[in-house]
Amino acid sequence: MGLFPVLAVLLFAMAVVAAISYLRMEEMQAEQQSVQRDGEHSRQRVNLRLAERQEQLQKFGRELQPELASPAAFADRVSLLSLDNPEVLDVTWLNLDGKARASKEMHDTAGYPLPRPGMGLPLPQEQVLLDEVRKSRQARYVVVTRHEGEDAFLAFMLPLGQRDAPDSFLYARYNLSSLLYYAIPSDVFASYAVSLMDAHKRVVAGQSVNPDDEKIAWWQLWSSMHSSVYNAPLATVDNVLTLHLRAYRASGSMTNRGLFLLVLALSALTAWMLIANWLHLRRRQRSQQELLSETSFRRAMENSLVIGMRALDLDGRISYVNSAFCQMTGWSAEELIGQRPPYSFWHEDDHTRHHRILSKTLQDQIPQGGYVMRVLRKNGTTFEARIYMSPLIGVDGRQTGWMSSMTDITEPNRIKRQLTNAYERFTRVLDALDVSISVAPLGSKELLFANQAYRHWFTDDNAAGHMQMLTKAGSPGAPVEGVARNGEDTLAGLPTTALQDASNNTEIYLAGLGKWIEVRSRYLEWVDGRLAQLVVATDITARRQAEEQSAQHEARAQAASRLVTMGEMASSVAHELNQPLTAINNYCNGMISRLRNGQIDQEALLGALDKTSRQAQRAGQIIQRIRTFVKRSTPNYSDADVETMVVEAVELAEIEMRRRNVRLQYRVERGLPILRVDKILVEQVLINLLKNAAEAIDLAGMLAERRHVRLDVSTAVREDRPVIEFSIEDQGSGLSQETLDHLFEAFYTTKAEGMGIGLNLCRSIVESHQGRLMAENIYNDNMVTGCRFTFWLPIPTTPVSRDSQTITS
Ligand code: ADP
């Protein structure tokens, strides 16, 4: 397709060249023919004339008699020839030896010396000619040139006398120019450059020939530069001369060349126009193609749009609607285009509003951000749409109308409503919680989220409360002095996933609110990608108060229980105290009577007083122990030496045991670590268990040999941790199944005066020390031979070791 014009141009150029070539050849052929004809004619004329001259001279030679040898007589005879022989320059009669007998110049010989009588021929070429003629005994011609560029002449030598034995020679010299001039008709001279050339192709007469003209260059075929020539050797003069004719350039050659150039120029112009046209066509085709693809692209885009497009002209007439618009409204493009307001998709109730908006738009007051309208479909249903208007500017920069886009927002609105409802439900639930929930980015006062409980607690609507709780709870997200102030991320470099997994659970007291709060914090990635901290705060004031109350109750119960224990032990204690008091009394009475009788010396008195004082100290010690034991005290955790505790507890318990006639054996392992416990409470547990054991033996009415209680204190591993285990074994009646089931319940007792709170308190004391209390029967075969109470207390992770010993009483 695209090559066709090029081919046409090429064909056209070839046709032009062929036509010109053909014409030119025709012309050249005609020219050649005429030059051949004229040349032939001229040659015949020259040949004829030369033949005539030769004949004349031969005749003249035959007539030559020896008496004519005198120069005057010879001259006279020669003069007769000269009239009609203008081309003959001179004639000389030569002897057989080549010396001149007589000579006669007939025309100007242009400086060629005549051979004088008795002398030889003057030029070497003439001498050569003579020798040749003498040898061949025949007439001969030769072209003689003295010097290059000088006029040449034709020399003719004729042997005279007998044919086989010539006796003399006649020698004539012809002027070649005259020969041409007289031999060739004048009209030939008018049309051709005529010349004679010698055997070496040198021009010897006539118009000189440029040898280049003889060659025909290729380009000359199509121009008028070439001229036709004719060359023919002259047979009469033994072919020593060649007649040469060259046609003058045709008179019309300039016109021809002009025409040729014109044709060439026109061809070039045509070719250029064709090429330009072709290029233009190609450009047009390309832009047409682009336009087509652009149009189809736009159409495809338009058709794929879900946004309805509508164009209005400046009067508000619909000039265009896209397929989405038609699909949305249900009206066809034909129905819509050309409509003026009120349009068919306007809802009847909204006409006034739409008119107002449209007139504002037409006055160039386009509503910013578009407007929402109710669109009436052809089937009578409606939907909500958002309309945006923008001016439609033509190619010349002038406004031609308005373009409006219409988006169906029913679905977005529905989703928005759903989202709002979901959000409302979500916040409603969060607000209904009596737990405060707040989220704030790390180290910032900005509050990202807070529920109603938070806003209720901390009336300021910022993250101050959030921060306060974190600071009190010692969370890593709380602002750190000097670091957060510089705006640096205090958590820079920490992996966020690890942070998000870490959650804290701390109980704090907020004096400002007068509340105990349990704070749980957790890191989370906020919706905008920031690392934030979520704080869930629960009001635990009530729980805390209850706990405190129950702790108080328990402390009171423990104290009461200790009093009860002592009350139960009161008769034993009284008995125990009675001994030293009786001893003191006895000592005092003894000393008084001996003093009265004057029977005592100072030494004996001092001894008696010393004994009295020791008894008083012993009584005081017992009272001190009881006081310390029953004194009501707040929980007091301190480093306690196990052995000391055991010794002190045993000291009190033994009072009761002695009264009940029960023997106590106890063993404390050496090197036990120091425990961190409330000493009095642990002693209370020991005393209770020892007292119970003694009572069980007593109540069972055991014989003297079975009235034993064993106390063992040693280290052990329980529940995977190192502990100190206390075990109390008695040989009483053991525990019945019912007792085992209710053993640690409060107020469970099998004794008439029992309170039933001892074991219950023991267990809570042990458990408050992270220990365990257990009871089991001791069997001998299937016989219950007593029971064992065991409790253990965990050893602190950094125990303090010291020397220990085993004490046995
Ligand atoms: P109380 O001693 O005032 O009865 P406890 O709580 O100390 O209250 O004891 C509860 C019950 O457990 C006792 O009444 C008794 O029946 C039983 N018990 C406690 N220790 C022993 C023991 N070593 N041997 C047998 N029974 C025991």
Side-chain angles (χ1 to χ4, degrees):
M1 175 81 182
L3 276 177
F4 180 73
V6 179
L7 275 176
V9 170
L10 276 176
L11 277 173
F12 174 74
M14 273 159 66
V16 167
V17 168
I20 291 175
S21 306
Y22 177 74
L23 283 176
R24 183 69 198 127
M25 293 231 298
E26 287 272 281
E27 194 183 339
M28 273 168 64
Q29 248 172 2
E31 205 175 75
Q32 195 64 37
Q33 273 172 6
S34 82
V35 79
Q36 284 293 335
R37 197 179 53 240
D38 289 343
E40 201 53 39
H41 179 61
S42 303
R43 186 177 70 89
Q44 280 172 13
R45 291 281 299 259
V46 174
N47 270 340
L48 190 68
R49 196 169 175 95
L50 282 168
E52 272 174 15
R53 289 297 85 72
Q54 191 177 340
E55 210 164 301
Q56 251 180 336
L57 285 169
Q58 277 173 339
K59 190 176 165 220
F60 178 69
R62 277 196 299 273
E63 287 168 1
L64 276 178
Q65 299 300 319
E67 65 271 12
L68 289 176
S70 77
F74 185 75
D76 281 350
R77 279 300 285 213
V78 172
S79 308
L80 294 174
L81 292 170
S82 68
L83 280 175
D84 48 347
N85 291 308
E87 66 269 32
V88 180
L89 292 171
D90 51 54
V91 181
T92 307
W93 192 13
L94 295 166
N95 285 329
L96 206 57
D97 57 0
K99 299 229 169 49
R101 228 181 250 184
S103 63
K104 167 69 180 158
E105 181 186 65
M106 287 186 291
H107 295 98
D108 181 17
T109 56
Y112 290 108
L114 262 180
R116 272 178 289 155
M119 300 294 283
L121 288 166
L123 296 172
Q125 287 147 297
E126 291 174 318
Q127 211 59 57
V128 172
L129 177 68
L130 180 66
D131 291 345
E132 277 188 9
V133 171
R134 202 185 274 151
K135 225 190 271 172
S136 65
R137 295 178 196 118
Q138 277 182 359
R140 283 270 164 122
Y141 285 91
V142 73
V143 178
V144 176
T145 335
R146 260 190 318 182
H147 301 293
E148 190 76 38
E150 240 180 29
D151 275 355
F153 60 86
L154 180 69
F156 174 60
M157 182 121 9
L158 177 74
L160 296 179
Q162 290 297 308
R163 201 171 156 63
D164 296 338
D167 50 17
S168 61
F169 302 102
L170 189 65
Y171 177 57
R173 297 199 281 199
Y174 295 176
N175 184 329
L176 289 169
S177 305
S178 305
L179 175 72
L180 279 183
Y181 183 73
Y182 290 106
I184 292 172
S186 58
D187 59 319
V188 173
F189 282 113
S191 307
Y192 305 99
V194 186
S195 58
L196 284 170
M197 289 189 284
D198 65 5
H200 304 293
K201 296 251 180 208
R202 284 181 301 208
V203 174
V204 286
Q207 280 186 327
S208 68
V209 176
N210 183 356
D212 290 345
D213 285 358
E214 297 307 300
K215 298 173 195 152
I216 302 170
W218 63 268
W219 50 269
Q220 285 173 326
L221 275 171
W222 297 287
S223 74
S224 312
M225 299 291 281
H226 170 70
S227 42
S228 305
V229 290
Y230 171 81
N231 275 315
L234 297 176
T236 329
V237 292
D238 306 337
N239 296 336
V240 296
L241 281 173
T242 307
L243 179 66
H244 177 85
L245 260 79
R246 179 166 51 84
Y248 285 127
R249 274 166 209 157
S251 59
S253 67
M254 271 312 277
T255 333
N256 277 352
R257 203 185 307 175
L259 271 173
F260 177 73
L261 288 176
L262 194 71
V263 167
L264 266 190
L266 277 173
S267 305
L269 199 74
T270 315
W272 175 77
M273 270 168 60
L274 266 169
I275 290 169
N277 194 28
W278 176 61
L279 286 175
H280 177 73
L281 209 72
R282 262 181 49 152
R283 265 202 303 275
R284 258 187 65 166
Q285 270 177 350
R286 207 174 300 147
S287 46
Q288 214 168 8
Q289 200 65 37
E290 278 170 12
L291 204 73
L292 263 172
S293 59
E294 176 80 19
T295 317
S296 55
F297 172 74
R298 276 181 187 280
R299 188 152 304 150
M301 203 168 72
E302 238 181 62
N303 292 339
S304 70
L305 268 185
V306 289
I307 298 172
M309 303 295 288
R310 170 190 62 157
L312 302 180
D313 65 14
L314 288 170
D315 304 327
R317 203 176 58 89
I318 296 177
S319 58
Y320 162 83
V321 283
N322 73 344
S323 57
F325 192 93
C326 297
Q327 266 172 18
M328 284 160 95
T329 56
W331 302 91
S332 70
E334 290 74 36
E335 285 168 318
L336 288 169
I337 291 174
Q339 277 193 18
R340 288 172 186 282
Y343 309 119
S344 48
F345 52 85
W346 279 5
H347 198 277
E348 271 177 23
D349 303 347
D350 303 338
H351 277 198
T352 17
R353 176 170 170 257
H354 287 324
H355 273 298
R356 199 179 61 242
I357 293 175
L358 189 72
S359 65
K360 272 195 170 182
T361 305
L362 297 181
Q363 285 161 29
D364 246 350
Q365 296 169 336
I366 312 172
Q368 288 294 319
Y371 59 93
V372 175
M373 75 175 273
R374 185 157 47 152
V375 181
L376 183 66
R377 288 202 191 93
K378 195 177 180 180
N379 62 13
T381 56
T382 57
F383 66 95
E384 279 201 336
R386 182 167 283 281
I387 311 285
Y388 291 97
M389 304 279 282
S390 62
L392 202 63
I393 309 292
V395 238
D396 52 356
R398 282 191 307 147
Q399 186 177 349
T400 56
W402 304 91
M403 180 57 93
S404 69
S405 70
M406 179 170 81
T407 324
D408 185 347
I409 55 167
T410 320
E411 186 61 14
N413 272 355
R414 196 179 60 80
I415 293 170
K416 205 166 115 183
R417 269 196 298 276
Q418 271 182 352
L419 277 176
T420 317
N421 288 345
Y423 178 77
E424 221 165 80
R425 280 197 295 273
F426 166 73
T427 44
R428 192 73 56 91
V429 168
L430 287 182
D431 283 347
L433 292 175
D434 55 358
V435 174
S436 142
I437 296 170
S438 56
V439 181
L442 292 179
S444 160
K445 285 246 161 83
E446 185 194 347
L447 192 63
L448 297 175
F449 176 83
N451 72 343
Q452 205 173 18
Y454 178 91
R455 291 193 298 273
H456 180 66
W457 289 1
F458 308 99
T459 38
D460 294 346
D461 211 9
N462 58 25
H466 176 93
M467 287 296 164
Q468 194 189 359
M469 289 191 283
L470 285 174
T471 318
K472 278 229 166 184
S475 158
V480 179
E481 277 299 310
V483 178
R485 219 182 290 141
N486 297 339
E488 285 174 29
D489 182 1
T490 52
L491 292 155
L494 288 180
T496 49
T497 45
L499 276 174
Q500 282 169 18
D501 291 343
S503 83
N504 265 347
N505 201 343
T506 325
E507 291 179 8
I508 56 166
Y509 181 72
L510 287 183
L513 295 174
K515 283 184 200 298
W516 271 98
I517 286 168
E518 185 194 64
V519 177
R520 266 170 294 159
S521 68
R522 191 188 162 82
Y523 293 98
L524 52 89
E525 197 180 317
W526 193 241
V527 281
D528 58 3
R530 277 188 290 174
L531 185 63
Q533 209 168 7
L534 162 82
V535 171
V536 179
T538 321
D539 183 355
I540 51 157
T541 317
R543 194 190 85 199
R544 201 63 192 214
Q545 279 170 353
E547 270 173 13
E548 266 167 29
Q549 254 175 7
S550 86
Q552 277 173 8
H553 284 155
E554 183 153 320
R556 260 189 237 126
Q558 282 162 2
S561 155
R562 287 196 293 274
L563 281 173
V564 167
T565 310
M566 281 304 118
E568 284 168 353
M569 285 166 66
S571 62
S572 312
V573 170
H575 176 75
E576 188 78 11
L577 284 175
N578 204 32
Q579 278 183 348
L581 291 177
T582 315
I584 291 167
N585 195 27
N586 290 345
Y587 285 132
C588 287
N589 288 338
M591 278 186 289
I592 291 166
S593 62
R594 284 170 82 177
L595 271 173
R596 278 198 187 127
N597 300 335
Q599 290 173 337
I600 195 160
D601 60 356
Q602 200 181 358
E603 222 22 61
L605 185 65
L606 275 174
L609 278 175
D610 191 42
K611 280 178 186 165
T612 314
S613 158
R614 257 189 276 140
Q615 289 300 324
Q617 266 175 12
R618 180 162 152 65
Q621 246 175 13
I622 292 166
I623 290 164
Q624 183 59 40
R625 279 267 174 277
I626 293 167
R627 266 198 67 201
T628 321
F629 183 65
V630 299
K631 200 175 87 184
R632 198 180 150 195
S633 62
T634 48
N636 176 24
Y637 285 72
S638 59
D639 289 345
D641 179 35
V642 178
E643 195 192 303
T644 319
M645 281 192 308
V646 171
V647 169
E648 284 177 4
V650 163
E651 228 173 71
L652 285 178
E654 270 192 326
I655 298 172
E656 175 75 3
M657 296 187 119
R658 265 198 297 278
R659 192 175 69 86
R660 292 191 185 270
N661 239 339
V662 174
R663 281 195 52 200
L664 170 68
Q665 250 190 344
Y666 72 95
R667 229 180 62 87
V668 180
E669 193 186 290
R670 280 170 170 270
L672 288 179
I674 301 287
L675 289 179
R676 187 150 185 89
V677 294
D678 187 321
K679 218 168 94 176
I680 297 296
L681 294 179
V682 177
E683 284 176 15
Q684 185 179 349
V685 174
L686 280 171
I687 291 168
N688 248 315
L689 296 177
L690 289 172
K691 188 173 81 60
N692 275 353
E695 276 175 359
I697 292 171
D698 202 18
L699 284 172
M702 291 295 165
L703 298 173
E705 66 269 20
R706 282 193 62 179
R707 296 179 89 91
H708 288 296
V709 172
R710 266 184 69 90
L711 165 63
D712 271 297
V713 184
S714 60
T715 50
V717 175
R718 296 282 178 264
E719 294 182 5
D720 292 336
R721 43 188 180 161
V723 299
I724 293 180
E725 194 170 71
F726 302 78
S727 101
I728 294 102
E729 272 181 40
D730 63 63
Q731 294 177 320
S733 54
L735 303 160
S736 68
Q737 191 52 49
E738 198 212 331
T739 312
L740 271 171
D741 291 344
H742 305 283
L743 194 62
F744 297 108
E745 284 176 14
F747 309 116
Y748 175 78
T749 181
T750 57
K751 300 167 196 166
E753 304 88 30
M755 290 272 289
I757 57 159
L759 285 178
N760 178 263
L761 272 174
C762 285
R763 192 170 69 166
S764 64
I765 289 169
V766 171
E767 284 178 359
S768 72
H769 285 80
Q770 278 82 49
R772 295 280 175 277
L773 169 62
M774 298 141 293
E776 60 191 337
N777 282 322
I778 305 172
Y779 293 91
N780 188 356
D781 283 338
N782 278 337
M783 276 274 291
V784 176
T785 56
C787 68
R788 183 190 298 126
F789 281 81
T790 315
F791 73 92
W792 50 258
L793 301 172
I795 298 171
T797 40
T798 50
V800 186
S801 73
R802 43 181 294 186
D803 292 342
S804 63
Q805 60 201 46
T806 306
I807 301 157
T808 313
S809 77

